[in-house]
């Protein structure tokens, strides 16, 4: 590791301790060029006890959501994987189940199906480390405006102090030969309107949540996973005209209905991928079986997340800064009142966060 990167790593470690000392969340970005890693560390957080009520509705009611942290993507190359670690201030591991979800956003690219900011990474308590084959990668240019936010849940009986999260990215260098095939993240959500939460009330017993959409471009799903909550049964993607099930992800749950794991599939690695055609109508289905005996407010989500290889990369929808839905999405991100007008006026995140942030420098920068 170069001297400047060593200095960056020491800064991150110093930030870790200083933030712990003063009890306010800190944020640092470390580049390890030898390992092709970008490490983002934030904390400490205090997680109030939820007294055994760890479902999504209570999580929001207790306000276990971080503000939005911003940083410039510090390397040139494609994103190939990530892993998440939850720890205390002494780097001792804590249960990942404390982390309800963590999202990393690319403020300079929109989603495929909605005029909303691209969610490059979306993890939940069931998410395992992701490492893509070297043949594919998500293109991220040097200096891309990124942001990270997390939501927590502490279903225990006591408050937790000094909680940290580290997100480690793996990237492929821009000069890699042969060059990886570019893929972009897609979210196929059974209940989402731009600028609102995609959580919905979970009724008692067996239930289905469905949503239909029309594909705007041709391409192939090359990797897929899913996000459900407790009492989840399965996620499916269907072709409306034929009723054909294109994809099914069955949840692994405990006898009491608690979610244990969601499967992943790599149809573009062992085969040609799952073709989705422009102009065709598809349906996302989220299936639950709530055996708790009560309705759970905001207790369910149903999202298929995947990597999509467009047939024409230039055909990906561009950002329309005047689109009301896009502006609303920015403005409703947690702690992101800066987003709408300031985003349109600011050519770089470096100016937006009012702190120096170059490819080889890191600091504790939080967007106000």
């Amino acid at each position: 590791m170069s001297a400047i990167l060593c200095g960056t790593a020491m800064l991150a470690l110093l930030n870790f301790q200083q933030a712990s000392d003063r009890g306010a969340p800190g944020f640092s970005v470390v580049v390890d060029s030898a390992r092709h890693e970008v490490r983002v560390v934030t904390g400490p957080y205090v997680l109030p006890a939820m007294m055994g009520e760890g479902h999504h509705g209570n999580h929001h009611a207790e306000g276990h959501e971080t503000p939005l942290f911003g940083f410039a993507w510090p390397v040139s190359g494609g994103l190939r994987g990530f892993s998440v670690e939850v720890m205390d201030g002494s780097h001792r591991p804590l249960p990942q189940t404390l982390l309800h979800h963590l999202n990393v956003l690319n403020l300079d690219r929109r989603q495929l199906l909605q005029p909303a900011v691209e969610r490059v990474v979306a993890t939940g308590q069931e998410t395992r480390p992701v490492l893509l084959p070297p043949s594919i990668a998500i293109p991220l240019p040097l200096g891309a405006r990124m942001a990270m936010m997390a939501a927590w849940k502490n279903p225990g009986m006591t408050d937790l102090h000094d909680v940290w999260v580290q997100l480690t990215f793996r990237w492929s260098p821009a000069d890699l030969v042969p060059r990886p095939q570019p893929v972009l993240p897609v979210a196929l959500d059974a209940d989402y309107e731009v600028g609102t939460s995609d959580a919905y009330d979970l009724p008692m017993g067996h239930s289905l949540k469905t949503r239909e959409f029309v594909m705007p471009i041709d391409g192939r799903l090359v990797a897929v996973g899913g996000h459900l909550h407790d009492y989840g049964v399965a996620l499916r993607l269907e072709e409306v005209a034929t009723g054909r099930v294109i994809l099914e992800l069955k949840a692994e749950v405990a006898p009491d209905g608690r979610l244990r794991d969601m499967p992943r599939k790599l149809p573009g690695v062992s085969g040609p991928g799952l073709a989705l055609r422009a102009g065709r109508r598809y349906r996302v289905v989220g299936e639950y079986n709530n055996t708790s005996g009560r309705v759970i407010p905001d207790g369910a989500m149903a999202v298929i997340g995947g990597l999509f290889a467009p047939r024409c990369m230039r055909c990906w929808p561009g950002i329309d800064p005047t689109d009301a839905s896009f502006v609303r999405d920015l403005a409703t991100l947690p702690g992101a009142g800066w987003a709408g007008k300031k985003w349109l006026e600011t050519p770089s995140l470096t100016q937006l966060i009012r702190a120096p942030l170059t490819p080889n420098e890191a600091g504790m920068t939080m967007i106000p």
Side-chain angles (χ1 to χ4, degrees), residues 229-245:
H229 287 181
D230 293 338
Y231 309 109
V233 175
L235 287 162
R236 288 187 293 277
L237 179 62
E238 303 171 347
E239 189 175 62
V240 172
T242 64
R244 180 171 65 98
V245 177

Side-chain angles (χ1 to χ4, degrees), residues 60-186:
H60 276 298
E62 296 295 332
H64 294 193
E65 197 156 38
T66 71
L68 198 69
F69 289 93
F71 63 102
W73 182 247
V75 295
S76 180
L79 179 62
R80 190 182 161 210
F82 65 89
S83 60
V84 178
E85 299 172 81
V86 181
M87 65 190 80
D88 65 16
S90 299
H91 298 266
R92 292 173 299 203
L94 295 172
Q96 189 173 326
T97 52
L98 294 171
L99 188 64
H100 180 270
H101 65 262
L102 181 148
N103 291 336
V104 178
L105 292 67
N106 176 6
L107 304 181
D108 291 330
R109 191 159 54 210
R110 59 154 279 179
Q111 297 182 36
L112 178 62
L113 299 180
Q114 298 94 7
V117 170
E118 179 183 76
R119 273 64 171 174
V120 182
V121 169
T123 72
Q125 64 184 36
E126 73 280 8
T127 305
R128 305 182 304 276
V130 173
L131 184 61
L132 301 175
S135 57
I136 59 176
I138 300 172
L140 282 175
L142 176 68
R145 293 179 290 181
M146 312 293 287
M148 189 181 90
M149 59 184 178
W152 302 87
K153 65 172 188 178
N154 173 16
M157 305 302 290
T158 59
D159 295 351
L160 294 178
H161 299 261
D162 203 20
V163 178
W164 292 76
V165 62
Q166 176 172 289
L167 177 62
T168 301
F169 297 100
R170 290 283 301 275
W171 92 88
S172 297
D175 57 358
L176 189 66
V177 178
R179 298 189 67 177
Q181 179 184 19
V183 294
L184 295 176
V186 293

Side-chain angles (χ1 to χ4, degrees), residues 188-234:
L188 311 178
D189 199 312
D191 189 75
Y192 177 64
E193 297 293 339
V194 176
T196 66
S197 171
D198 56 353
Y200 59 92
D201 295 349
L202 181 62
M204 292 185 290
H206 183 264
S207 65
L208 296 177
K209 175 70 71 171
T210 67
R211 186 184 185 93
E212 296 183 6
F213 65 93
V214 177
M215 276 297 294
I217 61 175
D218 287 324
R220 297 175 296 112
L221 279 172
V222 300
V224 288
H227 179 65
L228 290 170
H229 287 181
D230 293 338
Y231 309 109
V233 175

